[in-house]
Amino acid sequence: DTAVSQTPKYLVTQMGNDKSIKCEQNLGHDTMYWYKQDSKKFLKIMFSYNNKELIINETVPNRFSPKSPDKAHLNLHINSLELGDSAVYFCASSQKGNSPLHFGNGTRLTVT
Amino acid sequence: AQSVTQPDIHITVSEGASLELRCNYSYGATPYLFWYVQSPGQGLQLLLKYFSGDTLVQGIKGFEAEFKRSQSSFNLRKPSVHWSDAAEYFCAVGAGGNQFYFGTGTSLTVIP
């Protein structure tokens, strides 16, 4: 069984569109995250939710809006997509504190 | 401020040779340290972690890492590299509050 699954794996869209990426974890973890990996492989935290409550909200354009309907799901909605949003977006989960992160396989977003 | 430095952007080794990937961190308290591996098109997978105790930690796939507080280092080693080890390797520090800081990664190429 996949521990952290995110869909879609690939997303190609045009500038100005709105898109969503979904993430689900079946590990029973309390905390879920969204990370952005740019073309140079740099990983940047975007958001973190603990039990449906936002706990980390880094400097991210407000076009990005996370939503956590329950502690097993964390979706990412992006409005008015821009070329610079092209990247790989990773969902992850962990228990509290410094427990290791478990990552999904990523969603490669390409904005044309 | 917390930070993680991986000085080597890219390393090439011959199959069967030994490997050491460097990681230096900056963190005021006792760090929680991690190494992750990312294969092409995949998410990050935990190789090993250090929380406390023995400073030499063993991980999956024959990897080990040694925590050296005096040098603020957590270098990853493998005695004999296999072609399947070619991937991107990330060092990370857990700073509490579900906050993690990642290095910029080291890309490993294995030549036959």
Side-chain angles (χ1 to χ4, degrees):
Chain A
D1 285 343
T2 303
V4 181
S5 60
Q6 53 184 110
T7 56
K9 187 171 177 64
Y10 299 98
L11 188 51
V12 181
T13 188
Q14 291 183 328
M15 286 175 55
N17 284 349
D18 303 339
K19 290 293 179 186
S20 292
I21 306 172
K22 295 185 176 182
C23 180
E24 175 182 4
Q25 57 96 3
N26 62 5
L27 297 166
H29 288 165
D30 294 320
T31 308
M32 296 185 72
Y33 310 76
W34 279 110
Y35 280 84
K36 178 180 179 181
Q37 187 176 48
D38 62 23
S39 59
K40 295 183 179 180
K41 302 285 187 178
F42 181 67
L43 273 165
K44 178 179 167 55
I45 180 72
M46 299 175 70
F47 303 104
S48 174
Y49 270 74
N50 183 266
N51 242 334
K52 301 194 298 177
E53 181 182 344
L54 182 65
I55 56 172
I56 294 175
N57 184 1
E58 291 295 310
T59 306
V60 175
N62 57 15
R63 298 181 294 102
F64 290 79
S65 55
K67 284 187 171 52
S68 181
D70 55 61
K71 77 172 193 175
H73 296 83
L74 180 61
N75 303 324
L76 183 64
H77 189 76
I78 316 170
N79 290 327
S80 303
L81 278 155
E82 299 178 357
L83 292 177
D85 297 332
S86 296
V88 181
Y89 292 84
F90 284 101
C91 178
S93 71
S94 74
Q95 289 290 21
K96 291 180 183 179
N98 290 295
S99 297
L101 296 166
H102 294 252
F103 285 86
N105 284 333
T107 295
R108 180 173 294 277
L109 172 65
T110 303
V111 183
T112 62
Chain B
Q2 300 89 341
S3 67
V4 177
T5 302
Q6 294 181 244
D8 304 304
I9 296 173
H10 187 235
I11 283 183
T12 300
V13 298
S14 298
E15 191 167 15
S18 62
L19 171 70
E20 182 169 29
L21 302 182
R22 295 183 292 166
C23 173
N24 293 97
Y25 66 90
S26 173
Y27 185 63
T30 301
Y32 293 78
L33 296 161
F34 308 86
W35 274 100
Y36 291 86
V37 60
Q38 183 181 22
S39 298
Q42 301 294 314
L44 281 72
Q45 180 186 19
L46 179 70
L47 281 176
L48 48 77
K49 62 183 185 287
Y50 171 78
F51 283 4
S52 65
D54 194 344
T55 56
L56 184 65
V57 293
Q58 303 296 320
I60 62 171
K61 305 185 181 188
F63 285 91
E64 66 178 27
E66 186 171 12
F67 169 59
K68 292 185 177 180
R69 186 186 299 275
S70 62
Q71 299 178 19
S72 297
S73 69
F74 188 55
N75 294 348
L76 182 70
R77 299 195 294 249
K78 186 169 185 178
S80 178
V81 170
H82 187 261
W83 64 266
S84 61
D85 293 325
E88 192 84 19
Y89 290 80
F90 292 92
C91 181
V93 61
N98 296 102
Q99 182 71 276
F100 297 89
Y101 295 89
F102 282 84
T104 49
T106 297
S107 177
L108 175 65
T109 298
V110 180
I111 55 177

